[in-house]
Amino acid sequence: MVVNKAIGMRLLKSLGERTLTKLGRAVPFAGGAIGGGVDVWMMSRIAEQAKRSFPQTEAAAVDA
């Protein structure tokens, strides 16, 4: 029983190390995706506020 317990613990340890290593590699990608999503959301809010604060006039529309 002691031998089975030792073998089981070694298997769990190696499996856990491999799993944590793979998750550790995924963290930067997940952070990049979340950060990019927040950037898009914030920029759209800033753009909407800028459109309300600086409405386009007819003269500016003709010049463009």
Side-chain angles (χ1 to χ4, degrees):
M1 185 172 231
V2 174
V3 173
N4 285 340
K5 191 174 186 181
I7 292 172
M9 292 304 284
R10 282 187 183 180
L11 287 173
L12 285 175
K13 181 183 172 190
S14 67
L15 180 65
E17 286 175 350
R18 280 187 260 146
T19 302
L20 290 175
T21 301
K22 288 180 182 178
L23 286 175
R25 291 180 188 162
V27 168
F29 295 111
I34 292 169
V38 170
D39 285 347
V40 167
W41 177 67
M42 289 300 295
M43 288 302 292
S44 67
R45 290 193 62 186
I46 291 168
E48 287 299 319
Q49 183 62 38
K51 287 177 185 177
R52 279 187 255 131
S53 296
F54 306 107
Q56 191 172 18
T57 61
E58 289 183 31
V62 172
D63 290 340

